[in-house]
């Protein structure tokens, strides 16, 4: 049911502040209404979000087969956080202290987290029902939470300004657009709590309550099997735990639609009630040892509603008035954040200068006279040896042979033995001794 609320706009309620309307908020209301006619003048300032991924803990509602099937039906992927590991879902955990500091402590009768922060005269303050608190919380979300800047919401076009959730949503819609995905009434029935029942002459039974169709469609299905062997021939039904006076039965064998069924004793309950209130009354009747049937539970539930309307029987002292943060409800025109900013000429905006990072092995920068678009020849590449003294190569002699040989493995350096000159014949010796004679040849 929470997912169904994400996919649909929230309507404003009678008595809410005019500032809760989406028409006076930062939401792109005109674009949203053009894309989806469901956005009306009575739409609250809360965005419509189609979640792609949901991170849940190991709670029993989130690991149920029904929740997984609903997420699969809506195209949502699930990620399960580790047990007792709040950092796996920090955004959800951070919202709890925000709710306590900015909403709960301003509610009359708030007991606080400890005695140090608890107000005075708590027992004498008026009490609110769960439904009233839910409505107050929804008004607070549309009026204060969605329209308060958050330091973690920044736009790349306005990085120095913190945006509210509605302003950030408007920036994202401008960049990515909005594609509506309305859920039909038939689709919404799949999101309710599923139960598998048998159809009898009296109708169907859900949580010790009998439901019947006013037009008699259930009587035509009485005693017939559903044909679903895996469900023991039971029929699929669904109900809303916050509005249990109506249930729905799916007729997959006939027209393939949902049959509306009403609680046969709903006339005894004029005020709204929930499944949790019904369970509480059933538990009290069982503890008292009285017979538990639907008429007795309906009367006990009506009695409970009367007691909750009256409140505590004893009151001492004056009632402390509500001391919440004052709201400017007279000014219905929101402030324009760009009202006092001067007009900017886009032609005068220049690019931000880049950092002077030297290039690696970059070629030399050409001068103004030798640019690629000029007709002049490019400048010659400078000689890396320019400026060195000229060397006469004829004056360079060979390095003398070393008289030191390699050190043999395991030995030491020692002078090389002198090599005796080759022996020549007598004739060659005389020719070699004469200056300018032929060079001595190899020994014979």
């Amino acid at each position: 049911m929470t997912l169904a609320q994400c996919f649909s706009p929230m309507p404003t309620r009678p008595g809410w502040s005019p500032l809760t309307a989406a028409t006076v908020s930062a939401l792109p209301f005109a674009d949203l209404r053009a894309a989806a006619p469901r956005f009306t003048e009575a739409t609250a300032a809360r965005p419509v979000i189609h979640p792609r991924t949901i991170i849940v803990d190991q709670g029993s509602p989130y690991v149920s087969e029904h929740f997984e099937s609903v997420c699969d039906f809506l195209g949502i992927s699930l990620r399960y956080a580790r047990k007792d590991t709040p950092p796996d879902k920090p955004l959800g955990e951070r919202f709890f202290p925000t709710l306590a500091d900015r909403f709960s402590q301003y509610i009359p009768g708030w007991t606080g987290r400890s005695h140090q922060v608890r107000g005075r005269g708590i027992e004498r303050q008026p009490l609110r029902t769960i439904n009233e608190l839910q409505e107050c919380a929804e008004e607070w979300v549309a009026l204060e939470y969605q329209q308060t800047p958050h330091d973690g919401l920044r736009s790349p076009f306005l990085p120095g300004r913190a945006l509210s959730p509605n302003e950030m949503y408007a920036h994202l819609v401008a960049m990515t657009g909005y594609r509506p995905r309305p859920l039909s009434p038939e689709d919404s029935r799949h999101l309710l709590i599923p139960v598998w029942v048998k159809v009898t002459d009296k109708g169907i039974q859900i949580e010790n309550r009998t439901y019947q169709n006013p037009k008699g469609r259930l009587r035509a299905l009485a005693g017939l099997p559903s044909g679903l062997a895996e469900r023991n021939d039971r029929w699929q039904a669904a109900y809303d735990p916050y509005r249990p006076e109506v249930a729905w039965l799916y007729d997959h064998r006939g027209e393939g639609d949902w049959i509306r069924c009403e609680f046969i004793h709903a006339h005894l309950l004029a005020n709204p009630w929930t499944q949790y209130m019904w369970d509480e009354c059933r538990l009290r009747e069982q503890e008292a040892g009285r017979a538990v049937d639907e008429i007795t539970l309906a009367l006990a539930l009506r009695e409970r509603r009367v007691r909750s309307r009256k409140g505590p029987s004893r009151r001492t002292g004056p009632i402390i008035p509500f001391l919440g943060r004052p709201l400017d409800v007279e000014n219905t025109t929101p402030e324009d954040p760009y009202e006092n900013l001067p007009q900017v000429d886009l032609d005068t905006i220049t690019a931000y200068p880049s950092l002077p990072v030297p290039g690696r092995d970059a070629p030399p920068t050409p001068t103004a006279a030798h640019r690629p678009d000029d007709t002049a020849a490019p400048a010659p590449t400078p000689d890396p040896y320019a400026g060195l003294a000229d060397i006469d190569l004829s004056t360079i002699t060979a390095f003398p042979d070393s008289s030191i040989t390699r050190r043999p493995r395991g030995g030491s350096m020692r002078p090389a033995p002198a090599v005796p000159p080759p022996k020549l014949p007598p004739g060659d010796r005389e020719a070699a001794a004469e200056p300018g004679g032929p060079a001595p040849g190899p020994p014979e």
Side-chain angles (χ1 to χ4, degrees), residues 3-82:
L3 295 178
Q5 295 176 3
C6 294
F7 280 79
S8 60
M10 174 190 290
T12 57
R13 311 290 172 79
W16 281 16
S17 169
L19 299 179
T20 59
T23 54
V24 295
S25 67
L27 293 176
F29 179 75
D31 298 336
L32 295 176
R33 185 169 57 180
R38 297 181 302 166
F39 290 91
T40 63
E41 299 293 334
T43 300
R46 190 202 69 176
V48 176
I49 298 177
H50 304 167
R52 295 182 180 178
T53 304
I54 298 180
I55 302 177
V56 297
D57 53 18
Q58 302 295 329
S60 57
Y62 309 119
V63 297
S64 63
E65 180 183 356
H66 172 60
F67 186 75
E68 294 179 354
S69 63
V70 167
C71 291
D72 184 67
F73 172 73
L74 298 176
I76 302 174
S77 61
L78 285 177
R79 289 186 180 180
Y80 294 96
R82 293 169 292 181

Side-chain angles (χ1 to χ4, degrees), residues 4 15 19 94 185 260 280 296 302 386 418 443:
L19 299 179
R94 181 60 183 85
R260 178 185 174 92
E280 180 185 350
T296 304
R302 184 175 63 177

Side-chain angles (χ1 to χ4, degrees), residues 29 44 51 114 135 145 150 199 257 274 296 336 344 360 411 413 436:
F29 179 75
S114 62
E135 187 172 348
Y145 182 79
H150 193 285
V199 182
D257 60 343
T274 64
T296 304
D336 186 5
V344 180
R360 184 177 181 181
M413 299 298 295

